[in-house]
Amino acid sequence: GLASKPGQVVMMRLLLCTIAVHGAVGSLVAVADGGEGDAVTDVPSRSRHSTWHADTESLLNSHIAVEMAAALQYRALFAYFQRDVVHLKHTAEFFAKNAQEEFQHAYELMGYQLKRGGVVDLKALDSPVHEFNAKDGKSDALVAFEAALALEKRVYDSLLAVHTLCGKKGDPPCQDHIDKYLEDQVNAVDHLARIVADLVRVGPSGHAVWEYDMELSS
C-alpha cells in the first residue's frame, strides 16, 4: 500500500546509514605491513584538532543515540497507526517521515564526528513504546502526538547540551554546525504543539479524529 512506502524508505536509509558507518569506522582500522587483522586503532586521527575535546566527542555520540532512539520511536508510532484496526493513514505517514528525518540527522552527525577526527561509538537503544491506546478522555492520536512532542523536546535539550559544551570548549565551528539542528527542533516542537492543541479541541470522537487525519495529508 502507499502508506508502506515511507516505512520502506526509512529502513533503506537505516541500512545505508549502518553500511556507511561500518565503512567509515573500518577506514580507521588500518592493516600494518599489509597483514590482515593487524589493527592499529591507536593511530591518532590526522584531521583531529585540539579544539575537538574528548568530552565533546563523547557527548555527540550520546546525542547520536538520542536521534536514533527518536527515529525508532517514530517508526513504532508509524507501525501503530498503520495497523488495520487503527488505520489513520496520514498520521502513519507523518510519523514515518519524522523517523526518516531523525535517522538522517543521526547519519549526518556521525559524519561530522568523523570529520572532526572523532570515533563514532554507537550506543545500545531501549525498545520504543508500541501502544498508544486512547485513555483519560484522549484519542489515541492525541496520546501519540503528546508523546511525539515530548520526544522532540528531549532531542532539543540534548542538542542544546552539545551546543553549550562546544562553547565551553572554545569550538565555534561545532556551535555553528549544531545551530541549524536547533532551529529545526524549535520548528518541530512548535508544529507538534499546534497539532496537540488541534487534537485537544477535536476531542476523542473517532470520526473527528479521522477527519483530522485527512487534514494531515495536505
Side-chain angles (χ1 to χ4, degrees), residues 89-170:
K89 173 183 175 181
H90 302 296
T91 300
E93 290 175 345
F94 178 93
F95 288 131
K97 179 182 178 182
N98 279 21
Q100 180 179 342
E101 289 176 353
E102 299 297 345
F103 275 129
Q104 181 64 28
H105 290 167
Y107 173 76
E108 291 170 358
L109 290 168
M110 290 178 204
Y112 187 72
Q113 176 78 278
L114 295 167
K115 182 178 181 179
R116 294 300 301 269
V119 174
V120 173
D121 181 13
L122 299 179
K123 310 295 183 182
L125 303 177
D126 293 332
S127 177
V129 177
H130 293 89
E131 300 298 330
F132 304 93
N133 298 320
K135 61 181 181 180
D136 302 327
K138 299 178 180 180
S139 66
D140 54 356
L142 177 54
V143 171
F145 274 101
E146 284 181 337
L149 176 58
L151 182 64
E152 292 293 351
K153 288 181 177 179
R154 286 197 294 273
V155 174
Y156 176 83
D157 288 341
S158 179
L159 269 171
L160 186 60
V162 175
H163 187 276
T164 300
L165 182 61
C166 290
K168 290 179 178 178
K169 300 300 181 181

Side-chain angles (χ1 to χ4, degrees), residues 14-60:
L14 176 59
L15 176 60
L16 292 174
C17 170
T18 303
I19 293 171
V21 171
H22 283 186
V25 172
S27 70
L28 298 177
V29 183
V31 291
D33 299 326
E36 257 183 67
D38 295 329
V40 286
T41 54
D42 57 335
V43 175
S45 167
R46 294 178 177 84
S47 62
R48 189 172 190 126
H49 189 273
S50 59
T51 55
W52 191 241
H53 198 277
D55 291 345
T56 311
E57 178 181 4
S58 177
L59 190 59
L60 183 58

Side-chain angles (χ1 to χ4, degrees), residues 2 5 67 157:
L2 291 176
K5 290 181 180 179
E67 296 276 3
D157 288 341

